[in-house]
Amino acid sequence: MADNAKKHKEANEFIIQGVTSNGRTFRPSDWAERLCGVLSCFGGEGLRAQDAHLRYSPYVRPTLLEGIKSVVVSEELRRIEPMAYHFVLNFAKDNDLRIVDACVLPDPGSPS
């Protein structure tokens, strides 16, 4: 088992789940999109206004985990923008949200 763990790169992410420590669903229902929207950007350089779309940061992105709205946060954000990293982490702590360390799972069917 230890050999198998060495084969896979460690995940440098954590997940904020939209459930409080007492098991209540966090509201509003679009909290994950709102939080990620704070750290998103529009389009890119050279794009026409009608071609510009909101893009979530690759470091903070909404997801659904076990049927629960969640946000995946890359530890890389801490290095790139420490204030943004602490903002996201403090949001989770202030709202008593569950924080789970992410892990990399082997591909299905890969040898153990």
Side-chain angles (χ1 to χ4, degrees):
M1 181 132 167
D3 291 333
N4 192 31
K6 289 178 185 177
K7 291 179 187 176
H8 300 286
K9 181 181 168 187
E10 275 189 44
N12 292 320
E13 299 176 326
F14 63 90
I15 299 166
I16 302 169
Q17 287 188 301
V19 63
T20 62
S21 64
N22 62 6
R24 291 193 177 144
T25 301
F26 186 66
R27 299 283 180 228
S29 61
D30 66 342
W31 73 270
E33 292 83 1
R34 289 182 186 201
L35 179 59
C36 293
V38 171
L39 299 172
S40 63
C41 65
F42 282 96
E45 289 185 36
L47 290 179
R48 299 178 309 186
Q50 64 267 28
D51 294 332
H53 298 283
L54 179 68
R55 295 184 185 168
Y56 290 122
S57 166
Y59 307 108
V60 182
R61 59 193 190 282
T63 192
L64 199 61
L65 180 64
E66 298 174 346
I68 301 170
K69 290 267 188 146
S70 304
V71 172
V72 178
V73 181
S74 171
E75 288 286 343
E76 187 69 12
L77 183 63
R78 182 191 318 226
R79 185 185 67 75
I80 294 169
E81 186 50 64
M83 288 179 67
Y85 177 85
H86 290 293
F87 170 79
V88 172
L89 195 57
N90 286 333
F91 175 88
K93 289 178 181 178
D94 291 346
N95 290 289
D96 193 29
L97 298 177
R98 183 183 301 160
I99 300 174
V100 180
D101 287 330
C103 66
V104 174
L105 299 175
D107 294 328
S110 67
S112 299

